[in-house]
Amino acid sequence: MKNPLNRSLWREFKQNLARYLSISIVLIVMISAVSGFLTVVYSVKDLLYKNQDECNVEDGQFAVTQTLNKDTKDKIEDLDLNLYENFYSEQDLSDDTMIRIYKNREKVDIATVYEGILPKNKHEIALDRLFAEKNDYKVGETIHLNGEDIKIVGFIAVPDYTSLIEKNNDLMMDAIHFGVAIVDNKTFDEFAEKNITYNYSYVLDKKDASDKENYDKLNDIRDICLENGYMLTNMMTSDMNQTISFLPNDMGGDIPMIKALLYIILVILAFIFVVISETIIDEESTVIGTLLASGYTKNELIRHYMVLPIIITIVSCIIGNIVGYLVFPPYFKDMYYGSYCLPPLKVQFIPEAFITTTIIPLVFMLVINYLMLRHKLNISPIRFLRRDTHKNRIKQHIKLKHGSFFRRFQIRVILQNKGSYFTLFIGILFASFILMFGIVMGPCIDNYLQNSEDSIKADYQYVLKQPVDIKNAEDAEKLTITSLETYYKAGDLDLDVSFYGLDNDSKYYDDISLPSKDDEITISYDFAQKMGLKKGDKITFTNPYTEKDYKFKVYDIYDYKAGFSAYMTQKNLNDMIDQDKNYYNAYLSDKKLDIKDEYIQSKLTRNDVVKIGEQVTSSFGQMIPIMTTVSIIIYLVVMYILTKLVMDRNATNMSFLKVMGYDDKEISKLYLKASAIVVVISLIICAPFSYYLMDVLFKFAFMRFTSYIEMYMPYYLHIVVFVVGLLVYSLVNFILNRSIKKVDLGESLKESE
């Protein structure tokens, strides 16, 4: 026989329609956004690794001044690898735009067609898709290269250029002024007559080779080339090659932030569901007491009151996932395809995304509601019949002698509904927190960029491939720089840390305190905050190419906020990397130095640091509108639902006041202004709590981010949160004023108390 309690579900739904629909809308919006984002991110990630595998992306490359003879090639291939010619020619498309042109590669770094076809005839070319879009080229158009008109026949993506970085020592992608292209063999031979680079790529036989094994192979290749009289102009593994490694290293950094936002909202919605269920139980306490006295078990009632929340959650999750798969992917896809060069994306069903946006919310709501209902229904039937549903509640009458009647009545309303108002306070805390999460991202990013710029010690930093003496460079300061990795457990990733070997009298780092002991280091502020380190702590670093470990004690924390770095005396760092005391491989200078490009491994300028910060935070910047919109919606929903619950619990008292002759305006003054007092006090008290919670959340949200973004909230934003809270309550107040007008005079006759 069907459970007769199910007949009341539709009635309960209609009575709480506004509440349930509000919750459902928030859940749908959030799940659809998160589902769309995670679907795209995981699909892009799968596409990237699948494309690299199917298109046989290289494990490394090197360039020489002339082609290798067969004997040298055979010696290199005896190293358990396959060697491929991967020559290219660089051609100027305009004064500030250059294209790197390859033959159509069929065995390594194979191109994927994005639109059109690959070139088959002379004077045909296929351009990288991102470069073509940035420069507004279309398939079928003609460009002028090397004195010839070349027809664009297609757009492509190649696995060795997912990031368009012209020189590996460049710190920024530039898809406007640098592109990659494919031509047929005859056209390439024409280009090669004027400009060609003899570049060779290799693929190891061992597919899961470590960075050290790959690096050792590259060094073996170098030795063979030198032994046979070949001069190398470039050599690097795929991990060292930014055009290949930049995107894989960058992917997934914003996933924890989005998941954190989802989980916070789930907590808020579960809290609202609990409050609604408690209100319904209070309203139907006599019915529940009768049912328990008639033989219904507590578990049967728990299942009954869990039905609506679970149905609403399931329906919202289903609708949210449908919208997430159909509506949001194009928006999030543009975030990646506007910066990186990838083959066509087919959005797939991602089990991990489905678990995050459907299974977890459902289980979360199920557990929270079950625990609440079990606790709430764990009282005797007689107490339900007496409407005494609050455990251990002792009613105390407080005498109020001072103030006007309206003021005393408002205080009495607050005291009588202190439980409801405490619930409202918790709701405002959650809502303020989520609102703060939405509006604080912009200032945090701006603060990150400003800190990065302010922390720059010199206008130019050069890292050299080998020591180079510079004449007439009095402003330049020599130093030693190397890079090591350390494991960051919270984010499950390896962080690159730059080690600086400085002179004790460094004029650029004149405010730093360097340790004298060789097993101690000074670390940057950002690195200390990211790792949770303080003075005296010990930390282990690893050289990924030698797999050698180094253990250090934190001597001091230096106020540097432009990256992860560690500092030693130059002598100690040189000893650590087995170099003599006079060794150096870098310069700091406030003026541009005259160093030939072939000696420069990387160059960092003040403008580069600012651009890096902008690039690092660009993806988060695109998420700000979504987070802000969602936070305001949730704020409105929470304020409306919880404030209306207070009004609903006092509907009988309002009815009595109407019978006694009070008009709607006076009743509004008595009840809504009492709520307004609670809202104002709550907004003030919640500000510091919300800020503390936000600081904790930031560490979690950016734990897979390879930089440190500090929680920063200007004072004016605290005012914004307060003002927005008042504005939202004003809107809610307007809606509730209309509800007061609908309070039935006969409501008071239903109660015997």
Short mmCIF file of all heavy atoms in Angstrom, two decimals, residues 65-66 72 223-232:
data_model
loop_
_atom_site.label_atom_id
_atom_site.label_comp_id
_atom_site.label_asym_id
_atom_site.label_seq_id
_atom_site.Cartn_x
_atom_site.Cartn_y
_atom_site.Cartn_z
N THR A 65 74.76 23.60 -37.01
CA THR A 65 75.04 24.57 -38.07
C THR A 65 75.02 23.96 -39.46
O THR A 65 75.07 24.68 -40.46
CB THR A 65 76.40 25.24 -37.82
OG1 THR A 65 77.41 24.22 -37.71
CG2 THR A 65 76.36 26.07 -36.55
N GLN A 66 74.97 22.62 -39.57
CA GLN A 66 74.92 21.94 -40.87
C GLN A 66 74.24 20.59 -40.68
O GLN A 66 74.09 20.12 -39.55
CB GLN A 66 76.33 21.76 -41.44
CG GLN A 66 77.27 21.01 -40.51
CD GLN A 66 78.68 20.94 -41.04
OE1 GLN A 66 78.88 20.74 -42.24
NE2 GLN A 66 79.67 21.11 -40.16
N THR A 72 76.84 9.94 -38.07
CA THR A 72 76.46 10.63 -36.82
C THR A 72 75.02 10.31 -36.45
O THR A 72 74.70 10.08 -35.27
CB THR A 72 76.65 12.15 -36.98
OG1 THR A 72 77.99 12.43 -37.37
CG2 THR A 72 76.34 12.86 -35.67
N ASP A 223 77.33 15.19 -26.84
CA ASP A 223 78.70 14.67 -26.88
C ASP A 223 79.01 14.06 -28.24
O ASP A 223 80.11 14.25 -28.79
CB ASP A 223 78.89 13.62 -25.78
CG ASP A 223 78.80 14.24 -24.39
OD1 ASP A 223 78.97 15.47 -24.27
OD2 ASP A 223 78.54 13.49 -23.42
N ILE A 224 78.04 13.33 -28.82
CA ILE A 224 78.26 12.71 -30.13
C ILE A 224 78.44 13.78 -31.20
O ILE A 224 79.32 13.67 -32.07
CB ILE A 224 77.07 11.79 -30.48
CG1 ILE A 224 77.07 10.57 -29.55
CG2 ILE A 224 77.14 11.34 -31.94
CD1 ILE A 224 75.84 9.68 -29.71
N CYS A 225 77.61 14.82 -31.15
CA CYS A 225 77.72 15.90 -32.14
C CYS A 225 79.08 16.59 -32.04
O CYS A 225 79.74 16.86 -33.05
CB CYS A 225 76.60 16.92 -31.95
SG CYS A 225 74.97 16.33 -32.42
N LEU A 226 79.54 16.88 -30.83
CA LEU A 226 80.82 17.56 -30.66
C LEU A 226 81.98 16.67 -31.09
O LEU A 226 82.95 17.14 -31.70
CB LEU A 226 80.99 17.97 -29.20
CG LEU A 226 80.00 19.04 -28.68
CD1 LEU A 226 80.22 19.30 -27.18
CD2 LEU A 226 80.14 20.34 -29.46
N GLU A 227 81.88 15.37 -30.79
CA GLU A 227 82.94 14.44 -31.19
C GLU A 227 83.07 14.34 -32.70
O GLU A 227 84.16 14.08 -33.22
CB GLU A 227 82.66 13.05 -30.61
CG GLU A 227 82.85 12.97 -29.09
CD GLU A 227 82.34 11.65 -28.52
OE1 GLU A 227 81.85 10.81 -29.33
OE2 GLU A 227 82.40 11.47 -27.29
N ASN A 228 81.96 14.58 -33.41
CA ASN A 228 81.97 14.47 -34.87
C ASN A 228 82.08 15.83 -35.56
O ASN A 228 81.82 15.94 -36.76
CB ASN A 228 80.71 13.74 -35.35
CG ASN A 228 80.75 12.25 -35.04
OD1 ASN A 228 81.22 11.45 -35.84
ND2 ASN A 228 80.25 11.89 -33.85
N GLY A 229 82.44 16.86 -34.79
CA GLY A 229 82.73 18.16 -35.39
C GLY A 229 81.54 19.04 -35.66
O GLY A 229 81.63 19.99 -36.46
N TYR A 230 80.42 18.80 -35.01
CA TYR A 230 79.22 19.61 -35.23
C TYR A 230 79.04 20.60 -34.07
O TYR A 230 79.20 20.24 -32.90
CB TYR A 230 77.97 18.74 -35.35
CG TYR A 230 77.94 17.90 -36.61
CD1 TYR A 230 78.37 16.57 -36.57
CD2 TYR A 230 77.51 18.43 -37.82
CE1 TYR A 230 78.36 15.79 -37.72
CE2 TYR A 230 77.50 17.66 -38.97
CZ TYR A 230 77.93 16.35 -38.92
OH TYR A 230 77.92 15.59 -40.06
N MET A 231 78.71 21.83 -34.42
CA MET A 231 78.48 22.87 -33.42
C MET A 231 76.98 23.00 -33.17
O MET A 231 76.20 23.19 -34.10
CB MET A 231 79.03 24.21 -33.89
CG MET A 231 78.83 25.35 -32.89
SD MET A 231 79.48 26.93 -33.49
CE MET A 231 81.23 26.53 -33.59
N LEU A 232 76.58 22.88 -31.92
CA LEU A 232 75.17 23.00 -31.56
C LEU A 232 74.81 24.46 -31.30
O LEU A 232 75.56 25.19 -30.64
CB LEU A 232 74.84 22.17 -30.32
CG LEU A 232 74.68 20.66 -30.54
CD1 LEU A 232 76.04 19.97 -30.54
CD2 LEU A 232 73.79 20.05 -29.47
#
